[in-house]
Every structure is written in structure tokens, then in C-alpha cells.
Amino acid sequence: MKVLKFGGTSVGSPENMRAVMGIIANGEQKLVVLSAMSGTTNSLVEIANYLHKKNKDGARLVISQLEQKYNKVVTELYKTDEKKEKGKKIITDIFNTIKSYTASEFSEVVENAIVAQGELISTALFTELMVENGYKAAYLPALEFMRIDSDKAADLFYIREHIAEVLKNAGEADYYITQGFICRNANNEIDNLQRGGSDYTATLIGAAIDSEEVEIWTDIDGFHNNDPRYVENTRKIDQLSFDEAAELAYFGAKILHPQTVLPAKLQNIPVRLKNTMNPSDSGTLIASQSSGKGIKAVAAKDGITAIKVRSYRMLNAYGFMKNLFEVFDFFKTSVDMVTTSEVAVSLTIDNTKHLNEIVAELKEYGEVEVDTNMSIICIVGDMIAEEKGIATKIFDALAHIPIRMISYGGSRHNISVLVSTDLKKETLNALSKYALNN
Ligand code: ADP
Ligand code: ASP
Ligand code: MG
């Protein structure tokens, strides 16, 4: 059974939801993962932020605006009065739940429960839409099978076992509809796979049910060779290998959640990116094979902090690296890029939750310098790190841009540079103009 995931814009209006129904309903049995309607998760995060700041009036105002929006969606989505009533009840129940959280003490658990409501609404409304139109659709509660462990990593073993059970309980249907993004954690509380996580839900489910293909339906015709939000005239790529797509997603290509590729790669399940607004386009295929040579695509990851540590002991700095990495390990902070010299190490992190403690500890071993607001620019292509002339091409293109770090050789498919975020757009454009294969 194929898994099809539709993102926020794809289900962002009654009209788009009907378009999604048209794409799905071809008689082939499938499992459909939906995001929240576009804008909803942001509003839910805003509500939680108000509650965190103890501004209940602020929270109530956003809740009532969001509820009004959904009441309008319901009137436009369904044809019959019976379904309109059913839709209204779904909205009233979910908004009563959201309102009930304004009375409780704020906590991360409350925040996660609020933020989860967007996907619960979109899937409940969409299942009713399919039923109203005569399709055999069944609703699958993701909170009964999606799970992360105490390290916040997806628990595929649990997911596999429990989705089988949930599918069995749902009975025979042509279209199974479930929520992206949301899950439970090791304490059985509601949690999520981080922003944009519905893509990851889709490949996790794909792996759990041994799907033959996962399709990620979005608002663009596939994976582009550069970020269309910052660069004009980007071009769609027809095919990427799992490794290339994984590097691009991890290093900031918003079209895929950073962890999406791994479950598909491990089980060799092809992932196809498709455009809901232009379904006949072939999109981008992500599979084990790559195609084409040279630099294929570029992505940028913001919010990077660079840390340089210069050892106090200038010579024979034996054990220095081990000591440094133990600090990051202790604070469960992952390191993305690393460059070294005899006496100094530069590295980058994106999680700054423990930055102050990390810096304090690192000062035991050397002088510490911190640069914030940096971006990693990730340049990807099959075997580019082994192809002659590629480095020259990249550095010629970036001749006018101050580069803080370079990472070459960590992967055969990726060369990364670190620049100040102020220079991100210029860097992406320079690479498009002078280095990308067009
Ligand atoms: P969805 O809501 O369907 O998950 P997203 O907004 O998360 O959609 O992802 C699609 C968006 O990703 C596109 O509209 C585009 O602006 C952005 N994007 C960033 N980098 C790329 C890229 N390399 N190729 C295609 N889209 C990209
Ligand atoms: N609704 C969630 C978000 O906006 C998950 C997703 O869209 O993938 O981040
Ligand atoms: Mg997304």
C-alpha cells in the first residue's frame, strides 16, 4: 500500500481539500497522511506562547479567531446539512479541548497537546469529506501508533507493531486517513516530530507497513536545485539519491523535514515529491540511484552557532578533541561541522539550549570564541567531493564572500561552507550563477 502525504497548503482550503480528494480517489487502496491546514500550527504555537507568558486574553483571542476560521471552512467544505452539523461538532469538540488548556498551568506537555490539534482537525474534517462523497475512508488515530523514545528518536519497532493493530481495528477501507507530525513520547504524553514533521511521519509509516512508495505532495513541482525563497529561476531535479536528498534535507531544504529520508533509505522505499496544484507533473524521485554529475543542488541551514576553541597548551594537545566532544556529549548537543588545526577547533551547533554551560566548560580547555547567526550552505551532487575541479568551481563562485568554515571530505556527496546569515542569499545566488549545473 502506498503512503501519500499532503502538506499544509495542499489541505489549506476547502477547494484544495477537494483537489486532494480527487488525487487520492483513484480506486487504489492507500494510506494518507495529512498536515494541519496552513497557518494553523503557527496559530496554535502562538496560543501556547500566550499561555506561557500568562496572557490568557491573548490566547483566547487567537483561539476565537481560529475557531471562526474553521466554522467557515466547515460551511464551505460539505454539501449536506448533516455533514455540516457533523463538521461543526468536530470543531466544537476540538476547540473545547483547546479552551480547556487555558485553565491549566502551562507546561511543555500542555503546549504539545495544543499544537497537536491542527492535524486532528484536518484529518477528522477530511475523512468526513471523503465519506460524504461516497468513498470508503477510515480514520486512523496516529496517537495510538506513532511514538518517540526517551531520546526523542522515532520508535520504529513500536510503530510497526501498533499501526498493524490500528489498521486491523479500522476494518476494510480504500483510504486510510491519519495525522502527520503528532506522536506520543516515552511517557505516553502527546508530543511531535518537530515542525514540518509530517514528511517524517509519512516515511516512518512507509517503513512500518513496508510500503512500495511514499509520495510527498506539496505546493511546488519537486526538489529544486536551490532554495526558491531566495533564488530566482531555480530548476526542478528529476532524480536524487537517498544520500543526496538526506544531506539537502538535513542542511535546510524546507521541502523535506530533516529526518525524512532515513526510514525510506533503510528499506529502499522510493519517495516521490509531487505538486498538489499540478498532479500530472512527474515531480522528483528519491531512490537508491542518483543521476547526473556535478553540483546538483544547494541548501542553507540557518540558526547556526560557530564555536572556536584554541587550546591553552599549544603543543602536544593530546586528548584535546576528546575533552571537547565530551562536553557536547554531556549536554546532548549535536555537532554539525568540524574543522581543526594543530591547536584550535571550530565547530557548529544548531541547538543553543545549553550554549552558556557548554562555553563555560570549554573554557577549561582553551580560549573560546562564539559566532552566532551563521548559516551552513550545503552543496550536493553525486560524488562531487571526488570529482576534479568542483572545489575550484565553488570557491571561484564564492570568491567575494567571507567564508568562516569549510567542510570537505566528510561525505562524498556534500561540500559545506559556513557564512554569516546576512550573506546567505548572496551565497546561494552566487552558487546558482557560477557553480550549479543548469
Ligand atoms: P508542506 O506544507 O507541503 O510541507 P513546505 O512549505 O514545508 O510544504 O515545503 C515546500 C516549500 O519548500 C516550497 O514551497 C519552497 O518554498 C520550499 N523550498 C525550500 N527549498 C526548496 C527546494 N530545494 N526545492 C523545493 N522547495 C523548496
Ligand atoms: N503542521 C506541522 C507544522 O506546521 C507539521 C507539518 O506541516 O509537517 O510544522
Ligand atoms: Mg513541510
Side-chain angles (χ1 to χ4, degrees):
M1 181 159 60
K2 277 192 191 174
V3 177
L4 277 70
K5 174 259 171 177
F6 292 85
T9 316
S10 303
V11 292
S13 66
E15 192 191 344
N16 287 5
M17 282 200 193
R18 280 189 282 271
V20 168
M21 179 168 66
I23 292 167
I24 294 170
N26 63 356
E28 255 176 52
Q29 192 182 47
K30 48 183 71 74
L31 199 155
V32 178
V33 175
L34 301 183
S35 292
M37 294 179 82
S38 50
T40 299
T41 310
N42 286 349
S43 298
L44 295 169
V45 168
E46 202 183 341
I47 292 164
N49 286 344
Y50 274 127
L51 294 176
H52 188 30
K53 289 187 215 136
K54 301 196 189 313
N55 182 347
K56 293 198 176 181
D57 289 339
R60 285 193 193 105
L61 182 65
V62 184
I63 295 172
S64 95
Q65 285 165 346
L66 197 61
E67 188 169 9
Q68 269 175 35
K69 175 184 146 172
Y70 275 102
N71 280 323
K72 188 156 174 278
V73 167
V74 163
T75 28
E76 291 170 15
L77 188 61
Y78 303 112
K79 293 179 281 201
T80 61
D81 285 343
E82 186 204 337
K83 280 291 169 203
K84 285 185 208 277
E85 273 312 303
K86 185 107 191 230
K88 283 258 154 70
K89 178 154 179 4
I90 290 170
I91 298 305
T92 306
D93 288 350
I94 291 187
F95 277 85
N96 281 343
T97 305
I98 299 175
K99 285 170 199 165
S100 72
Y101 291 119
T102 62
S104 37
E105 190 69 26
F106 181 82
S107 67
E108 208 177 307
V109 177
V110 167
E111 174 173 18
N112 287 340
I114 292 173
V115 169
Q117 302 303 319
E119 273 70 12
L120 293 169
I121 304 177
S122 63
T123 47
L125 294 183
F126 188 79
T127 308
E128 293 302 333
L129 176 70
M130 294 217 71
V131 172
E132 182 182 46
N133 284 273
Y135 299 114
K136 250 181 124 184
Y139 175 94
L140 304 182
L143 295 177
E144 289 179 18
F145 61 84
M146 284 303 294
R147 185 140 175 139
I148 50 175
D149 63 21
S150 52
D151 288 326
K152 301 238 169 222
D155 186 344
L156 193 53
F157 184 78
Y158 182 101
I159 298 168
R160 187 180 277 275
E161 205 167 84
H162 286 76
I163 197 170
E165 187 81 356
V166 168
L167 275 167
K168 205 168 82 197
N169 293 341
E172 194 49 36
D174 293 329
Y175 311 111
Y176 295 102
I177 317 293
T178 195
Q179 302 81 41
F181 177 58
I182 64 174
C183 61
R184 286 192 185 271
N185 59 28
N187 300 329
N188 211 30
E189 296 146 352
I190 298 178
D191 210 317
N192 61 64
L193 303 174
Q194 308 295 321
R195 294 304 304 269
S198 302
D199 303 327
Y200 191 30
T201 303
T203 53
L204 285 169
I205 293 179
I209 65 166
D210 298 315
S211 179
E212 66 269 27
E213 182 169 288
V214 174
E215 294 178 1
I216 311 259
W217 289 77
T218 182
D219 56 6
I220 189 165
D221 56 356
F223 217 117
H224 278 221
N225 61 353
N226 206 328
D227 194 324
R229 295 168 299 171
Y230 303 103
V231 177
E232 278 175 26
N233 301 323
T234 56
R235 194 177 48 81
K236 184 192 88 173
I237 304 165
D238 293 326
Q239 191 164 343
L240 283 168
S241 69
F242 288 123
D243 290 334
E244 291 167 340
E247 301 265 14
L248 289 164
Y250 184 73
F251 288 109
K254 187 187 177 231
I255 186 165
L256 282 185
H257 176 278
Q259 283 154 292
T260 308
V261 180
L262 188 64
K265 179 188 160 168
L266 291 178
Q267 282 177 233
N268 199 15
I269 302 169
V271 177
R272 197 174 275 283
L273 307 184
K274 298 269 294 172
N275 188 352
T276 307
M277 287 67 192
N278 184 15
S280 60
D281 192 283
S282 58
T284 297
L285 177 67
I286 301 169
S288 54
Q289 298 297 323
S290 179
S291 73
K293 287 187 79 66
I295 300 172
K296 231 189 244 176
V298 176
K301 182 174 175 179
D302 297 338
I304 302 294
T305 298
I307 303 172
K308 185 187 276 180
V309 189
R310 183 178 290 274
S311 169
Y312 291 131
R313 277 197 303 134
M314 294 298 274
L315 290 169
N316 292 328
Y318 173 75
F320 177 54
M321 292 283 210
K322 175 176 160 285
N323 294 337
L324 296 194
F325 281 103
E326 271 176 2
V327 174
F328 291 92
D329 190 41
F330 181 80
F331 290 106
K332 293 196 167 171
T333 300
S334 68
V335 170
D336 281 331
M337 278 175 88
V338 188
T339 59
T340 67
S341 76
E342 188 200 1
V343 290
V345 177
S346 265
L347 36 78
T348 69
I349 58 172
D350 66 353
N351 173 1
T352 51
K353 194 168 162 200
H354 298 291
L355 182 62
N356 292 341
E357 294 120 294
I358 289 172
V359 169
E361 295 268 329
L362 291 176
K363 282 187 175 159
E364 300 256 315
Y365 305 108
E367 280 164 36
V368 181
E369 230 176 81
V370 175
D371 289 318
T372 54
N373 298 324
M374 308 295 287
S375 295
I376 294 177
I377 311 291
C378 163
I379 302 152
V380 162
D382 191 33
M383 301 292 198
I384 55 165
E386 289 178 4
E387 205 178 316
K388 279 187 203 148
I390 294 282
T392 318
K393 219 172 177 182
I394 293 172
F395 296 117
D396 278 349
L398 303 183
H400 59 295
I401 292 174
I403 296 174
R404 167 75 165 76
M405 282 169 73
I406 299 167
S407 170
Y408 188 113
S411 148
R412 290 182 294 179
H413 315 292
N414 167 9
I415 297 168
S416 299
V417 296
L418 186 75
V419 299
S420 159
T421 302
D422 298 341
L423 297 171
K424 173 180 81 170
K425 190 170 173 191
E426 203 177 330
T427 308
L428 291 175
N429 277 282
L431 288 166
S432 248
K433 210 159 162 197
Y434 302 111
L436 272 173
N437 282 344
N438 284 306

